[in-house]
Amino acid sequence: MNFEFFIAKRLITGKEHKISISAPIIKIAIAAIAIGIVMMLIAIASSAGLQLKIREKVAAFNGHVQILNFDNNNSEVSVVPVSLNQEFYPEFKNVEGVSHIQAVAVKAGIIRTEETFEGILAKGVGKDYNWKFFEEFLVAGQIPDFSGELNEQVLISKILADKLNLQVEDTFFSIFLRDGDLSKTPNNRRFKIVGIYDSGFEELDASYIFVDLRHIQRMNKWEAHEVGNFEVFLNDFDEIEQKTVEIYNHTVSDLDTTNLKNKYYKIFEWISLFDFNTALIIGIMIIVGGINMITALLVLILERTQMIGILKALGSPNWSIRKVFLYNAAYLILIGLFWGNLIGLGILFLQQKYRFLKFPNPEEYYVEYIPVHIDPTSVLFLNVGVLFLCLLMLLIPSYAVSKIAPVKAIKFE
């Protein structure tokens, strides 16, 4: 083993020849590995980051799992109330992995100003509502406070505010039907804008405003313990299907459960394609890097033909000599991995901090900048996988060593 490492070191340092014709090819092979790693890291981090960001935005409006009355038929509007007096509220202790549960209600209405009007979904929320995501989305004003007495504060989206020409501190009137019946006198409510948000999710921003839950209860003539549905947040989104079933099994028979993947299946089908694209990029980059390393290895073998002949004449077996070149190739791959990780992770950390890379059409991706998510485990597996697969690809060309005859090799010029 020490002998093989010694010979490999001599190959790497180029001390066997004064001039190495393989030097440019080796540099190209190292550069190919480095560029490939940079591309793969960016593909993995940006794909994971975009999926995570889209999931977070959809979850901000709906939670991960929704618990509602069967009679609502998955309607956006809360029709049949659910009682707050549930075993799982305000803490879902019977299912592990639940981080938060909150009670909400939604009512359709119209915002009317002197110049125009817009249809809305008024989402009633209470003091248990998790504002974490909307604190990030906030572009003006502040988050409303519904922990005290009933008030007129409202959080409205930037899209609606621009369409209605409204700003923070402005007031507006909204109209809500009574029991969905056009023949009845509608409910009129006056609200005051205390905050404006922009999630980048135009489909949802164009509809939702956030008001005090008690307004919805009063307009629907519900009791204080009645709400539209519950929204459940999970610690691990990857367990959403399993946890949906567990949550359903721990609720009463007249309650149903659904989750984000079912409610917005088109969006999640779309973002699932990112994984395929990432796998395709990784596959192409590994093949390109492997081909460059094969070329470099074959040139090294050709350049060291005389040395191979001498080693064979001294009794070295073919596999021992092949390992010399494989050690050398592994070293070159590690150099490429080092520079690739240094550059790739550097770009990702800068993007994570400064967000200088932006989408030319952010409305199509629901986010203005390219989000990145750096997972140390994924980075480690990527590097180990690239090293292993490239060395695996080099086993076949290294077989050329066994075809070299000692007598002819020693005479080779």
Side-chain angles (χ1 to χ4, degrees):
M1 183 66 73
N2 291 334
F3 169 75
E4 292 160 357
F5 275 115
F6 171 75
I7 297 298
K9 183 179 178 182
R10 299 283 291 183
L11 278 172
I12 294 163
T13 56
K15 292 181 180 179
E16 292 296 323
H17 294 279
K18 291 182 179 179
I19 300 174
S20 176
I21 61 172
S22 61
I25 296 175
I26 289 174
K27 290 179 181 177
I28 292 172
I30 293 173
I33 295 292
I35 293 171
I37 282 292
V38 171
M39 296 298 295
M40 287 186 277
L41 285 172
I42 292 175
I44 292 173
S46 60
S47 174
L50 190 56
Q51 290 186 56
L52 182 63
K53 187 59 68 174
I54 291 174
R55 289 202 308 248
E56 285 181 351
K57 290 189 175 187
V58 178
F61 289 89
N62 301 271
H64 294 125
V65 180
Q66 298 81 46
I67 304 173
L68 64 162
N69 196 297
F70 268 108
D71 294 333
N72 280 330
N73 295 321
N74 293 327
S75 172
E76 290 288 343
V77 178
S78 305
V79 180
V80 181
V82 178
S83 175
L84 286 174
N85 301 321
Q86 306 288 341
E87 186 179 351
F88 55 78
Y89 184 80
E91 293 184 14
F92 214 130
K93 298 179 180 180
N94 293 331
V95 177
E96 293 184 2
V98 173
S99 61
H100 180 67
I101 182 169
Q102 57 198 25
V104 300
V106 179
K107 192 172 183 65
I110 296 173
I111 294 179
R112 178 175 56 83
T113 65
E114 293 181 358
E115 294 83 15
T116 186
F117 64 90
E118 287 290 335
I120 57 158
L121 290 174
K123 184 166 187 175
V125 302
K127 59 183 179 181
D128 63 348
Y129 196 74
N130 181 9
W131 292 106
K132 180 183 70 174
F133 298 108
F134 285 93
E135 288 172 353
E136 180 184 345
F137 302 156
L138 199 65
V139 294
Q142 61 186 18
I143 297 295
D145 182 11
F146 301 140
S147 59
E149 295 182 357
L150 178 66
N151 59 56
E152 299 175 344
Q153 295 181 8
V154 65
L155 179 69
I156 190 172
S157 70
K158 187 176 184 301
I159 291 176
L160 284 172
D162 291 343
K163 286 181 178 180
L164 296 165
N165 195 26
L166 296 171
Q167 299 177 352
V168 175
E169 299 297 327
D170 286 349
T171 59
F172 62 84
F173 286 94
S174 55
I175 302 170
F176 300 91
L177 295 179
R178 293 180 184 270
D179 304 321
D181 191 346
L182 294 173
S183 63
K184 295 182 179 180
T185 304
N187 286 298
N188 291 295
R189 285 292 187 277
R190 178 177 178 272
F191 292 111
K192 179 180 180 181
I193 299 174
V194 295
I196 298 176
Y197 73 90
D198 183 10
S199 73
F201 218 108
E202 186 174 346
E203 178 183 342
L204 299 175
D205 286 5
S207 301
Y208 280 95
I209 68 170
F210 293 82
V211 303
D212 196 315
L213 174 61
R214 288 165 288 190
H215 284 295
I216 309 297
Q217 290 173 326
R218 288 189 176 187
M219 287 187 287
N220 288 346
K221 297 180 180 179
W222 290 349
E223 300 294 333
H225 64 86
E226 292 180 322
V227 297
N229 60 281
F230 297 95
E231 295 178 344
V232 182
F233 289 85
L234 305 175
N235 292 322
D236 187 358
F237 182 84
D238 294 332
E239 297 181 347
I240 189 168
E241 297 293 351
Q242 173 191 341
K243 296 302 177 183
T244 301
V245 175
E246 289 184 30
I247 290 171
Y248 177 79
N249 291 334
H250 285 87
T251 57
V252 294
S253 59
D254 61 339
L255 295 181
D256 189 18
T257 58
T258 186
N259 59 49
L260 287 185
K261 284 190 174 181
N262 296 330
K263 192 173 183 179
Y264 297 97
Y265 67 93
K266 290 184 179 179
I267 292 176
F268 284 94
E269 281 184 357
W270 170 60
I271 64 176
S272 67
L273 295 176
F274 298 167
D275 294 329
F276 173 77
N277 295 337
T278 302
L280 186 63
I281 291 172
I282 291 174
I284 292 172
M285 291 297 103
I286 290 177
I287 290 172
V288 171
I291 291 173
N292 279 275
M293 285 306 304
I294 288 172
T295 304
L297 182 64
L298 291 174
V299 171
L300 273 175
I301 292 173
L302 180 63
E303 189 180 55
R304 310 293 174 171
T305 301
Q306 283 188 333
M307 186 195 75
I308 293 170
I310 294 172
L311 291 174
K312 283 192 173 186
L314 292 173
S316 294
N318 286 325
W319 176 237
S320 180
I321 299 173
R322 288 174 68 186
K323 284 195 289 185
V324 169
F325 288 95
L326 290 174
Y327 289 147
N328 188 26
Y331 177 80
L332 299 177
I333 294 171
L334 287 172
I335 293 176
L337 291 176
F338 171 78
W339 287 109
N341 281 280
L342 186 65
I343 297 170
L345 292 175
I347 292 173
L348 293 177
F349 280 120
L350 289 174
Q351 173 64 11
Q352 201 171 48
K353 184 174 182 179
Y354 298 107
R355 301 176 177 178
F356 58 93
L357 296 175
K358 300 182 182 296
F359 286 114
N361 45 351
E363 65 281 354
E364 294 184 8
Y365 292 93
Y366 308 113
V367 63
E368 182 180 355
Y369 62 94
I370 298 177
V372 295
H373 175 68
I374 304 171
D375 181 14
T377 304
S378 298
V379 174
L380 177 62
F381 277 114
L382 176 66
N383 282 270
V384 173
V386 169
L387 178 62
F388 174 76
L389 291 174
C390 285
L391 286 176
L392 195 63
M393 293 171 67
L394 293 176
L395 287 176
I396 296 176
S398 70
Y399 185 71
V401 169
S402 63
K403 297 297 183 181
I404 297 176
V407 176
K408 293 182 180 179
I410 294 173
K411 296 179 179 179
F412 180 78
E413 291 294 337

